[in-house]
Amino acid sequence: MAKKLLLEKAHIEGIRHFDVYRKEGGYAAVETALKMDPAAIVEEVKKSGLRGRGGAGFATGLKWSFLAKPEGVPRYLVCNADESEPGTFKDRYLMEFLPHLLIEGLIISSFALGSNRTYIYIRGEYAWIVGILEQAIAEAKLHGFLGKNILGSGFDCEIYVQRGAGAYICGEETALIESLEGKRGNPRIKPPFPAIKGLWDCPTVVNNVETLAAVVPIINMGGEEYAKIGVGRSTGTKLLSACGNINKPGVYEIDMTISVEEFIYSDEYCGGIPNGKKLKACIPGGSSVPILPANLLLKTAKGETRYMNYESLSDGGFATGSMMGSGGFIVLDEDQCIVKHTYTLARFYRHESCGQCSPCREGTGWMEKILQKIDTGKGTIADIDLLWDIQRKIEGNTICPLGDAAAWPVAAAIRHFRDEFEWHVNNPTKCLTQNYGLAKYADALGLSA
Amino acid sequence: MVKFSDDKLKEVQSMIDRYPEGKQKSALIPLLHLAQEEFGGWLKPDTMDYVASLLTIDPIEAYEVATFYSMFNLKPVGKHVFEVCHTGPCMLNGSDNILDYIKSTLGIEVGQTTSDGMFTLKTVECLGACGYAPMMQMGMNYREHLTKERVDAIIDECRNEK
Amino acid sequence: MSEEVKTVKVTIDNITIDVPQGTSILNAARMIGGDVTPPAMCYYSKLKGSGGKCRTCLVEVSKGSEADPRPMPKLVASCRTGVMDGMEVKNITSPRVTDARNGVVEFLLLNHPLDCPVCDQAGECHLQDLGYMHGKEATRYEFKRRTFDKHELGPYIQLHMTRCILCYRCVYVADQLTDSRVHGVLSRGDHSEIATYIEKSLDNNFIGNVIDVCPVGALTDKTFRFKNRVWFTKPQNAHRDCSCCSGKVTIWQRGEEVLRVTARKDQWGEVEEWICNECRFEKKSASDWVIEGPTHVSRHSVISQGHYENMKKPKEIFSAVHDGRSPKLLMDIHSVSEVNDPSVDLSKINGSASSDTFKLSRKKQ
Ligand SMILES: Cc1cc2nc3c(=O)[nH]c(=O)nc-3n(C[C@H](O)[C@H](O)[C@H](O)COP(=O)(O)O)c2cc1C
Ligand code: SF4
Ligand code: SF4
Ligand code: FES
Ligand code: FES
C-alpha cells in the first residue's frame, strides 16, 4: 500500500471538525512553523522538491523565493480552488473531507510568505464547500490558529473564501486575480508576474489547493524526508482524480512510483475497465494534455514501462508522450469515439475562452465547428488538415495558456487517431450509428483481454 | 426598486470588509450572487444597477462582470434549474442519454423553461464531478450518478416541494 | 547618480538602433520605420494598458540580450515586450512570424463581414491594410458568420459590432478620457461584444475619440454627412479656439462643406491630440475653422493610394532585409471586398464610388 500523506485521515469520522482533526495530530505543523524563520520554511519547501499541483508543475519553493518584498507593501497568498479542468476533481475532495488540512497549510504558507490576508478563490459551482471551509476557518480562529497574534507569534492572519461564478479561465492565476478584484476574468499580459505585481498590484503568490495542503506533511516530516518519497523530480505524493470508463472512479493518492498499468488495472486504484472492455485511450492529466492511445500510454515509445510521474508521463514529448497536468485521469474504452470526445473538449474551450486575444477567441470556435462537422459525417479530408493548421496557429500565439490547452487535445487526437478521423469522413452514414472501435495500434499489446 | 433587507445589508458590509480599504469592487461577484438569490433568481438591469451603487462603481462594470460568468442568469429562469454537464468525461458516461431523457420527460429543449415555470434545462461544461458522472447541478447542490430513475425521483421531489 | 535614461542596443531585422531603456520592441521598430515595423491593431501608445490582445505584432526574439543570449521560445507581442541590451528581433525576416501573422489575420477576418463597400471606414481601415499585406487569398471559413443584435449608441456614434475586432481601445478611451464609462465589453469568448447593455447613449465629452481610435469601421461618426467615401474628401489641418481641447483637428471637406472632423493623426495612424465632442460633432461649417493647409495623409492608410501631394514615403527596406526577396502579397482583400481595386484610379472618378465601379473595372480587364 502506497504511502498517504494527505488523505490518510480522510475517512475518520468527524475529521471535518477541529476537535477531531486536532486530536489526530492536526495543527502541529502550524505550531512548528510559527517557531521557525519564514525563510527557513521556504527553504524546507525547496528541499522537499514539491512541484505545483495545479497543472504546470513549477517548483513551489522556487516560486515562493521569487516573491518581491518591497517595504510597506502588503503581500498576498491566494489559494487556487477554481478546479475546472475537465477530468479534475481532487481539490474538491480534499476540501470536502479535510478542510482543516488546507487551512493548516494556508496558515503556514501565509506565515512563510508574509500574507496577512489570504484568499481562497473557489469555483462558484462548489457552493456547498464554501460553507465547509468557512466553518473550518471559524473553528481555527476560535482556537487561536487564525486572527491576531497567532499562538503568540505576533503573526496576524485572516483567511477569506471568495466564490467565483462559472469561468474555467479564472483558474489561470492572473485571471483569478482579476476576478478577485471584481473584474472579468481576462488574463493579464505578463510580465509583470504576480510575484511582483499581483492582487491590487501587490506581490502575490497563487498556489493550488493540493500544493498548499502538501506543505503540512513537509513541515511535519521535514523537506528532506518528503523528497525521499517518489522518484527523481517527482517527489512526495500526488492526488489523481480518475474518471471515464473505469470500475472505480474517484480520487486516489499515489506516491509517484507506480506504473500507469497498475493504476488502471489494480483493484487498489481504478479497478480496470467495466464490462470486460478494452482500453482504447487515456488523457492522463486533465483535458488539456495530449491524449494517448493504449500502447503509448502503458509503454513509452522506447518500450519502457510508463509510470505515473511527471517525467515518465512526458517521456517522448508531445510526439509520443503526454503530461501529468492537473492529475485528471480520463479513460476511454473501445466503444468510445475519439472524434466525438475531442469535439466536446473543443466545445469546452470555446465556451471558456475569455475572448481577449484573436487566435483563441476565433480559433476555438472554428475548431469546434469543424469537429462537429466531422463528427456528424459531414467532414472532408481537407477539414482534418485544416483543423491541424488551425491548432498550430493558435498554439504559442496567445496571451495565456488556454490557447495551448485548446490546441493540444485537437493536435494529439489527430496525431494519434487520424485513421479514425478519416474513417468518419469516408463513412458518413455509418459513423452516425457505429463507432470506429479500437485503434489498430491499441490492440497490439494484447493487454487487458 | 430592489433593495436588500437590513440583515442582508449587514452581510453586504461584511463582504466588503474582507478587502482592504478602497478595494470594495472585489465584492462585486459575491454581491451579484447574493442579489441573484434574493431577487428572483436572475439579474435584472435594476438589480445590477443597485449592486453597482452599493459598491460605488459604474453600472457598466457590473454588466461586464455579470455577462462574463456563466452562473449569472440574465433572463428569468424556472423555479428549478437543471444544469446538466455534457463535457467529455460525463459524455463518456452517458450524459447525452440523460439529457435526452430530461428533454422528453419535461417536454422542453435546452435553454427552455416549462410552461408552468417550474423547470429550466441548461447544459453546462465540466463541473468537477467527472468521477460521479453523469451529473447535474441544481441550485447550490450537485446531483450525481444520474439514471433515468434518479431523474424521475428528482423531478417528483421538485414537484412535491411546496 | 545620474538622471539620464540609459540607452540599449537592439537589432530588428538586421538593423541596429539605440533606444532608451524600457522602450517596447514595437516602438523601437517604429523608430527604424518602414517595413520592419510590425502592424499593431490593438496597441495605442496614448492609451495606458492597451496592447497584447490582437497578436498581429508578434515577433521572434532570436537573442534575448547580451547578458542572456538565449532565444525566447515563443513569439512575443512586440507592443508589450521591452527591449534588452543586445536583443535581436526578427520580424519580416522570420518565416515563423509571417506564418503566425497570416494566422492572426485569418482569425481577425474570420467573422468579419467584409462589407467594405458599404463601410465608412473603407480607405482608412487598418484591417483592410493588414489583410492586404499579410492575409491569405481567400477565407477557409465556411460557417455562418457571427451576428449581433443591433445596438444604438445615441446621436453621435454608430456601432457596427460585426466589424469589431475587440481591440479594447474604445474602452480605454472611455476609462481614461471621460468621467464615467457607459460602454464596455460584454459577454465572453466569441460572443464578446462592445455594448452598453441597456440602451444608453455615448455622449460624454471626449467620447468621440473612440471613433478615431477604432482601427476598423465598428465605431463611426453618425454626423459624417453624406457618408462620402473618404478618398473623395479633402483633408485639411484646421484649428479653432476651443475652451476644452486644443481645437487642432483635421477637417474633411468637399467644397465649402465640412463633412466631418477628426483628430489629427501621426504616421502610425494614432491621434496626435484628443479633441472634444463639440469640435468633432458640432462644427460643420468652414467658417468655424481656421484652415492651415492640406493634411499629409500617412502611407498607413489606403487613402494614400489616391492623390495626396507632399507624401513622404518612408524608405522601403523589405527586400534589403529579406535576402532580396520582395514582399509576398498573400491576401488580396480587394478581390474579397470589391473595393479599392488598385487598377482603379480613384481620383479620376466623379462622385461616389460604389462596389459597382470596381465590378465594372474588373469586367473590363
Ligand atoms: C486556463 C488555465 C486554467 C487553470 N486552472 C487551474 C485550476 O483550476 N486550478 C489550479 O490550481 N491551477 C490552474 N491553472 C494553473 C494556474 O495558472 C497556476 O499555475 C497555479 O494555480 C499555480 O499553482 P501551483 O504552482 O500550486 O500549481 C490554470 C491555468 C490555466 C492556463
Ligand atoms: S488565450 Fe484565450 S483565454 Fe487566454 S487570454 Fe487569450 S482569449 Fe483569453
Ligand atoms: S469597437 Fe473598435 S475600438 Fe472598440 S473594441 Fe471594437 S474594434 Fe476596438
Ligand atoms: S465532465 Fe461533467 S463534471 Fe467533469
Ligand atoms: S498590437 Fe501588439 S498585440 Fe495588438
Side-chain angles (χ1 to χ4, degrees):
Chain A
M1 179 108 176
K3 188 158 186 129
K4 286 189 183 167
L5 301 177
L6 300 176
L7 302 186
E8 180 80 73
K9 309 219 167 90
H11 293 296
I12 294 174
E13 176 86 22
I15 194 78
R16 268 191 199 170
H17 295 289
F18 181 88
D19 298 339
V20 179
Y21 182 75
R22 180 82 173 131
K23 207 162 72 218
E24 292 293 332
Y27 288 100
V30 173
E31 291 171 318
T32 312
L34 291 194
K35 290 189 201 111
M36 294 167 71
D37 184 48
I41 300 175
V42 177
E43 214 38 52
E44 271 325 297
V45 173
K46 270 192 186 164
K47 273 191 230 157
S48 74
L50 176 65
R51 293 168 69 173
R53 305 296 196 221
F58 193 82
T60 306
L62 192 62
K63 179 166 174 169
W64 287 11
S65 66
F66 291 153
L67 185 69
K69 299 196 172 74
E71 270 307 302
V73 178
R75 303 189 283 276
Y76 294 102
L77 170 65
V78 180
C79 170
N80 189 342
D82 192 59
E83 188 164 79
S84 311
E85 168 105 349
T88 316
F89 47 100
K90 62 180 179 77
D91 297 338
R92 162 186 171 184
Y93 186 92
L94 206 149
M95 293 186 287
E96 272 189 285
F97 290 93
L98 292 161
H100 280 288
L101 182 67
L102 175 62
I103 303 303
E104 185 173 7
L106 280 171
I107 298 169
I108 300 165
S109 309
S110 301
F111 177 67
L113 298 166
S115 167
N116 304 113
R117 265 179 214 265
T118 293
Y119 295 90
I120 303 174
Y121 183 95
I122 187 166
R123 69 176 298 172
E125 293 90 343
Y126 286 173
W128 73 98
I129 303 180
V130 174
I132 297 176
L133 291 172
E134 283 181 341
Q135 183 175 348
I137 291 168
E139 287 176 353
K141 196 165 172 177
L142 194 70
H143 291 87
F145 286 94
L146 276 172
K148 293 245 172 277
N149 190 17
I150 301 171
L151 304 181
S153 64
F155 175 61
D156 304 337
C157 184
E158 296 289 346
I159 299 177
Y160 302 101
V161 185
Q162 174 98 353
R163 220 178 127 199
Y168 165 64
I169 190 57
C170 291
E172 194 279 335
E173 55 186 7
T174 59
L176 186 156
I177 290 171
E178 287 280 300
S179 182
L180 190 45
E181 291 182 2
K183 302 180 192 151
R184 296 160 63 83
N186 282 354
R188 293 180 181 171
I189 293 148
K190 293 180 254 187
F193 290 91
I196 312 293
K197 244 180 156 195
L199 183 59
W200 302 307
D201 283 347
C202 300
T204 303
V205 166
V206 180
N207 273 130
N208 174 255
V209 169
E210 185 191 343
T211 312
L212 292 163
V215 172
V216 176
I218 290 173
I219 293 302
N220 280 331
M221 66 202 293
E224 261 163 47
E225 279 305 304
Y226 185 90
K228 284 182 192 155
I229 303 164
V231 56
R233 290 181 56 233
S234 300
T235 62
T237 61
K238 172 86 190 86
L239 298 185
L240 297 175
S241 57
C243 63
N245 306 121
I246 47 175
N247 279 316
K248 290 171 56 196
V251 177
Y252 298 99
E253 182 170 7
I254 59 162
D255 76 6
M256 291 180 265
T257 59
I258 65 167
S259 70
V260 177
E261 192 178 346
E262 182 184 350
F263 186 68
I264 297 179
Y265 292 104
S266 123
D267 282 336
E268 197 180 327
Y269 304 108
C270 303
I273 297 173
N275 310 320
K277 298 279 180 191
K278 291 196 183 104
L279 171 67
K280 176 174 184 173
C282 171
I283 302 179
S287 63
S288 304
V289 310
I291 189 169
L292 289 177
N295 58 336
L296 283 175
L297 176 73
L298 303 176
K299 296 230 188 301
T300 66
K302 287 174 269 173
E304 290 161 0
T305 304
R306 208 186 274 282
Y307 291 94
M308 294 295 303
N309 62 49
Y310 291 96
E311 290 80 13
S312 186
L313 282 174
S314 57
D315 187 291
F318 276 10
T320 60
S322 185
M323 278 167 81
M324 177 69 114
S326 62
F329 196 84
I330 309 168
V331 177
L332 281 73
D333 73 19
E334 59 187 297
D335 289 346
Q336 301 301 340
C337 172
I338 299 291
V339 178
K340 172 90 193 264
H341 192 257
T342 312
Y343 158 63
T344 73
L345 297 185
R347 185 188 60 214
F348 171 83
Y349 289 105
R350 189 265 302 147
H351 187 257
E352 302 301 334
S353 163
C354 83
Q356 232 189 148
C357 61
S358 47
C360 173
R361 176 181 68 241
E362 306 294 341
T364 51
W366 196 4
M367 292 199 299
E368 179 199 354
K369 289 192 179 77
I370 297 173
L371 278 160
Q372 185 179 35
K373 190 180 160 202
I374 301 175
D375 181 45
T376 50
K378 298 183 195 109
T380 63
I381 297 292
D383 283 330
I384 306 174
D385 298 321
L386 179 56
L387 211 46
W388 181 267
D389 195 50
I390 300 169
Q391 68 77 22
R392 191 176 68 77
K393 286 188 168 133
I394 299 174
E395 193 208 342
N397 293 336
T398 55
I399 293 176
C400 88
L402 189 138
D404 301 344
W408 293 342
V410 173
I414 298 177
R415 186 183 300 119
H416 298 301
F417 299 93
R418 191 174 168 113
D419 283 4
E420 191 164 339
F421 281 81
E422 292 187 359
W423 179 82
H424 272 253
V425 169
N426 295 327
N427 298 280
T429 354
K430 210 158 133 193
C431 76
L432 300 177
T433 52
Q434 219 174 304
N435 276 330
Y436 180 72
L438 217 47
K440 287 193 276 304
Y441 33 77
D443 221 5
L445 284 165
L447 276 154
S448 75
Chain B
M1 254 305 276
V2 292
K3 197 175 179 321
F4 284 127
S5 66
D6 287 348
D7 269 1
K8 287 290 163 194
L9 280 174
K10 274 197 204 115
E11 206 175 311
V12 167
Q13 192 52 48
S14 82
M15 283 174 176
I16 294 174
D17 289 342
R18 293 174 186 172
Y19 316 100
E21 183 98 20
K23 306 296 180 198
Q24 78 283 0
K25 186 176 174 182
S26 284
L28 179 54
I29 293 171
L31 247 64
L32 288 173
H33 274 305
L34 190 70
Q36 178 161 296
E37 274 163 38
E38 285 293 297
F39 307 120
W42 69 291
L43 294 172
K44 299 180 217 27
D46 271 1
T47 310
M48 292 189 267
D49 290 352
Y50 175 58
V51 167
S53 74
L54 290 174
L55 296 174
T56 57
I57 57 176
D58 286 332
I60 187 72
E61 297 178 74
Y63 309 149
E64 283 182 321
V65 165
T67 55
F68 185 90
Y69 296 93
S70 62
M71 289 182 79
F72 296 126
N73 297 317
L74 301 165
K75 289 198 204 104
V77 290
K79 191 161 169 233
H80 303 278
V81 186
F82 289 0
E83 298 181 282
V84 183
C85 171
H86 66 158
T87 312
C90 276
M91 187 274 289
L92 296 176
N93 284 294
S95 59
D96 287 356
N97 295 339
I98 291 295
L99 205 51
D100 286 343
Y101 185 71
I102 299 177
K103 283 190 218 168
S104 68
T105 309
L106 296 179
I108 49 173
E109 288 299 313
V110 174
Q112 295 181 338
T113 302
T114 51
S115 52
D116 59 2
M118 278 288 278
F119 299 99
T120 298
L121 178 62
K122 284 186 175 180
T123 52
V124 290
E125 302 294 346
C126 182
L127 294 182
C130 327
Y132 323 113
M135 64 80 64
M136 67 177 181
Q137 177 162 33
M138 224 182 92
M140 300 283 272
N141 295 301
Y142 283 7
R143 301 302 177 105
E144 297 168 337
H145 299 296
L146 293 180
T147 57
K148 289 179 182 172
E149 294 72 32
R150 289 213 62 183
V151 169
D152 287 338
I154 292 166
I155 293 175
D156 283 345
E157 176 194 317
C158 294
R159 289 223 163 99
N160 293 334
E161 192 183 284
K162 35 176 182 40
Chain C
M1 255 177 56
S2 85
E3 286 293 294
E4 260 172 72
V5 184
K6 269 191 24 201
T7 61
V8 297
K9 227 177 245 326
V10 53
T11 304
I12 304 174
D13 286 337
N14 305 325
I15 302 170
T16 303
I17 184 175
D18 289 316
V19 299
Q21 199 164 36
T23 307
S24 67
I25 297 175
L26 178 73
N27 281 332
R30 284 184 174 183
M31 292 175 197
I32 298 173
D35 294 317
V36 307
T37 313
M41 296 293 286
C42 67
Y43 170 77
Y44 210 81
S45 66
K46 290 159 193 81
L47 294 172
K48 255 211 324 259
S50 67
K53 299 194 195 306
C54 70
R55 317 307 283 174
T56 55
C57 72
L58 290 174
V59 294
E60 180 180 338
V61 175
S62 50
K63 178 180 170 191
S65 68
E66 211 54 69
D68 181 1
R70 285 176 303 172
M72 294 189 182
K74 287 184 184 182
L75 303 182
V76 300
S78 60
C79 65
R80 294 289 298 251
T81 309
V83 295
M84 304 287 273
D85 196 32
M87 183 184 263
E88 287 176 18
V89 177
K90 290 181 173 179
N91 178 28
I92 52 177
T93 50
S94 163
R96 267 174 79 199
V97 170
T98 320
D99 184 50
R101 199 168 288 155
N102 284 344
V104 170
V105 173
E106 188 173 27
F107 289 134
L108 285 174
L109 289 170
L110 210 58
N111 276 294
H112 192 83
L114 293 169
D115 57 349
C116 314
V118 296
C119 176
D120 270 357
Q121 193 89 352
E124 301 178 296
C125 174
H126 291 226
L127 188 59
Q128 217 175 17
D129 300 352
L130 190 70
Y132 187 71
M133 298 284 293
H134 302 281
K136 288 233 183 280
E137 265 159 55
T139 179
R140 298 182 290 174
Y141 191 70
E142 50 168 339
F143 304 97
K144 203 169 155 285
R145 291 207 168 83
R146 193 164 53 219
T147 54
F148 296 90
D149 292 340
K150 205 165 158 51
H151 217 85
E152 288 296 331
L153 299 181
Y156 298 127
I157 298 165
Q158 181 73 49
L159 170 69
H160 287 278
M161 187 52 219
T162 49
R163 298 174 187 155
C164 168
I165 60 153
L166 287 164
C167 69
Y168 284 62
R169 284 176 182 174
C170 60
V171 180
Y172 294 118
V173 164
D175 266 338
Q176 294 169 30
L177 300 181
T178 70
D179 303 334
S180 79
R181 180 157 65 86
V182 294
H183 83 289
V185 180
L186 300 181
S187 295
R188 173 168 95 191
D190 58 358
H191 295 293
S192 303
E193 61 176 319
I194 293 291
T196 51
Y197 198 66
I198 41 175
E199 207 119 311
K200 282 185 191 164
S201 47
L202 261 53
D203 48 15
N204 243 299
N205 203 5
F206 284 91
I207 192 69
N209 289 292
V210 296
I211 297 166
D212 284 337
V213 301
C214 184
V216 292
L219 295 170
T220 51
D221 187 340
K222 258 193 190 169
T223 68
F224 184 7
R225 299 207 204 151
F226 308 115
K227 305 284 173 203
N228 225 300
R229 305 308 277 180
V230 285
W231 51 85
F232 298 114
T233 59
K234 197 164 136 204
Q236 306 251 39
N237 279 357
H239 66 264
R240 62 182 276 269
D241 253 343
C242 177
S243 57
C244 56
C245 73
S246 71
K248 289 186 193 151
V249 303
T250 297
I251 58 173
W252 302 72
Q253 273 183 297
R254 195 173 61 183
E256 276 308 289
E257 267 175 307
V258 175
L259 301 180
R260 69 167 181 171
V261 179
T262 65
R264 294 185 195 171
K265 295 191 180 177
D266 66 15
Q267 61 167 319
W268 309 113
E270 285 193 18
V271 163
E272 284 172 0
E273 278 177 280
W274 307 113
I275 60 168
C276 69
N277 284 7
E278 188 182 329
C279 286
R280 183 186 300 274
F281 298 124
E282 313 289 349
K283 303 290 166 196
K284 292 296 173 74
S285 142
S287 61
D288 291 325
W289 299 97
V290 181
I291 294 170
E292 299 166 15
T295 302
H296 305 300
V297 175
S298 83
R299 79 172 193 113
H300 212 94
S301 156
V302 283
I303 324 173
S304 60
Q305 289 173 24
H307 48 286
Y308 296 106
E309 74 274 39
N310 294 335
M311 263 284 300
K312 215 174 75 206
K313 261 187 129 192
K315 82 181 155 162
E316 300 295 343
I317 40 188
F318 197 107
S319 51
V321 295
H322 216 222
D323 303 334
R325 278 172 292 146
S326 55
K328 206 160 87 189
L329 187 63
L330 285 154
M331 175 177 204
D332 190 354
I333 199 169
H334 309 297
S335 72
V336 195
S337 73
E338 305 190 325
V339 75
N340 281 353
D341 187 329
S343 67
V344 178
D345 186 346
L346 295 167
S347 56
K348 301 258 163 65
I349 307 171
N350 288 321
S352 300
S354 70
S355 54
D356 288 341
T357 321
F358 301 101
K359 275 187 199 135
L360 274 176
S361 84
R362 202 156 289 147
K363 265 193 211 124
K364 268 188 245 149
Q365 280 169 12

